[in-house]
Every structure is written in C-alpha cells, then in structure tokens.
Amino acid sequence: SAVISQKPSRDICQRGTSLTIQCQVDSQVTMMFWYRQQPGQSLTLIATANQGSEATYESGFVIDKFPISRPNLTFSTLTVSNLSPEDSSIYLCSAGQGSAYGYTFGSGTRLTVV
Amino acid sequence: ILNVEQSPQSLHVQEGDSTNFTCSFPSSNFYALHWYRWETAKSPEALFVMTLNGDEKKKGRISATLNTKEGYSYLYIKGSQPEDSATYLCAFLYGGSQGNLIFGKGTKLSVKP
C-alpha cells in the first residue's frame, strides 16, 4: 500500500497567520482527502482533492479558509488561513486505495494557534 | 446527519486481559465499515475493511464482527499487550467505493504491563 509523508508534524502559529501542510505519496493516487480532528471530536473530512480539478469541500468548510492544491498525482497541500485558536487541531491527509484495503494516512500535523 | 458512535470512549486494562469495543453506524445505505488503529504521533493504520453482513475478520489477536442490519460492529482484542495501546477508530464508508469515511470519536485503549 502507499506510504504518505506529511509535514510539518507539529507547529505553533500566531493568530492571523497561515500554515501550509504538505503530503507526498510514494505512488500515484487519484483521490486524496484532508481531515481535521478538533480536540475531543471525530476525524472530519474537510475536502477531497483530485488532480486537475478544484477540490470538493464538505459542508462547513470553504476554499478561502482551507485552500488546497493538487498539482500532480503524488502531492497535495492544505493551507489553513487566517488562523484562530479554534483552528488548533490535528490535520491528516489520506489517499484512497479502494475500499477493499482501507485508506492510507499521513502521520498528521498537530497545529496549535496562540 | 450520519453519525458513528463508538463505546467506550476509553478503556484501561491489564496485560493479558481480553477486551472489546463497539461501533454503531447507520444501517441504511451501507457500503463498508473500516477499523483503524492510531498510535500517538503515527499514521492511522487500517485493520479491517468489512462489507458483508455477518463478516468476521481476524488479524493475529485482533478480530472484528459486522452486523449491517442492526448497524453495529465489534472489535475484539485477545490477551492485550502494552503495544496494543492506541486509539481504535471505526469509520462508515458512505456513498460507494470512492465515497467519504464518516469516523467515530474512537476508543482509547491503554494496556498496563
């Protein structure tokens, strides 16, 4: 199965700034997903990123706040913009391998906004 | 609103104990149920993908069952070891094979030596 390298693993950011998270997959994948886990909550899908098209955002998430790039089949970035303390969460990227095998995840980015 | 519930929220057991967790999910529009194991600072790791009612899957000391008609799955760990300490997540695959995963909040297992 694919291996995903995600970075940074953690960061502490000032409110009002932005953080860009990168995910590199060791093989070509059609679909990549970005998730957020707020403290005490479930992993929640932010958006689905397909190469060559605009990302598809879930209800409650907007492109201005969470711009996503997917320049090729092995790489994607998520930017969390105009940071506020409520953005303090773990952010995970994932690649779909087909439902028979489960999905592969990066190791997560723990963001703290101060 | 699709909801996936996991219980208990956390569990503390002694090494050698056997344990089990529950995942409840919508019984309609079922496609698949995933179980993941997530250790701190590591990637969630897929344990099982279950698709058929009555499915039972096993991986070493860990096994899972699936009841799609009543909307629940059980994960069992036999003879827990300290290295089993992790958060166990279940996720309901919604919208077909390329659909979205709806996650529960997880069960955090701590195994004391």
Side-chain angles (χ1 to χ4, degrees), chain A residues 1-113:
Chain A
S1 59
V3 175
I4 301 178
S5 299
Q6 181 173 345
K7 57 183 181 181
S9 59
R10 59 176 63 232
D11 208 341
I12 300 173
C13 298
Q14 296 289 324
R15 64 178 70 199
T17 63
S18 299
L19 175 70
T20 295
I21 303 166
Q22 299 180 5
C23 278
Q24 179 75 53
V25 191
D26 68 350
S27 59
Q28 293 185 339
V29 292
T30 305
M31 300 175 73
M32 290 186 72
F33 306 91
W34 287 96
Y35 291 87
R36 177 179 74 179
Q37 186 185 44
Q38 294 178 300
Q41 301 301 312
S42 309
L43 271 172
T44 301
L45 183 66
I46 297 170
T48 302
N50 294 327
Q51 193 266 334
S53 63
E54 293 269 335
T56 304
Y57 288 83
E58 297 300 304
S59 176
F61 297 97
V62 295
I63 187 170
D64 290 347
K65 176 69 175 175
F66 299 99
I68 287 170
S69 78
R70 184 84 203 273
N72 56 52
L73 290 172
T74 63
F75 188 77
S76 181
T77 68
L78 169 76
T79 298
V80 190
S81 304
N82 190 24
L83 290 167
S84 68
E86 293 71 37
D87 295 319
S88 297
S89 299
I90 297 174
Y91 293 85
L92 277 169
C93 63
S94 172
Q97 303 296 307
S99 63
Y101 304 105
Y103 287 69
T104 302
F105 288 84
S107 55
T109 297
R110 184 179 291 272
L111 170 62
T112 303
V113 183

Side-chain angles (χ1 to χ4, degrees), chain B residues 35-106:
Chain B
W35 281 99
Y36 292 86
R37 179 173 178 274
W38 192 7
E39 289 183 74
T40 303
K42 294 188 178 179
S43 309
E45 170 199 358
L47 289 173
F48 303 114
V49 175
M50 310 183 79
T51 56
L52 298 175
N53 185 44
D55 240 359
E56 291 189 29
K57 296 208 171 181
K58 189 174 181 182
K59 190 176 187 177
R61 293 179 291 100
I62 305 176
S63 60
T65 61
L66 179 68
N67 183 322
T68 60
K69 293 184 179 179
E70 295 181 41
Y72 64 84
S73 176
Y74 295 135
L75 187 79
Y76 301 91
I77 302 179
K78 185 178 178 182
S80 302
Q81 300 296 308
E83 56 265 30
D84 295 328
S85 298
T87 297
Y88 292 82
L89 301 172
C90 73
F92 172 76
L93 183 62
Y94 174 75
S97 63
Q98 300 296 316
N100 299 337
L101 286 174
I102 311 295
F103 282 88
K105 292 183 180 181

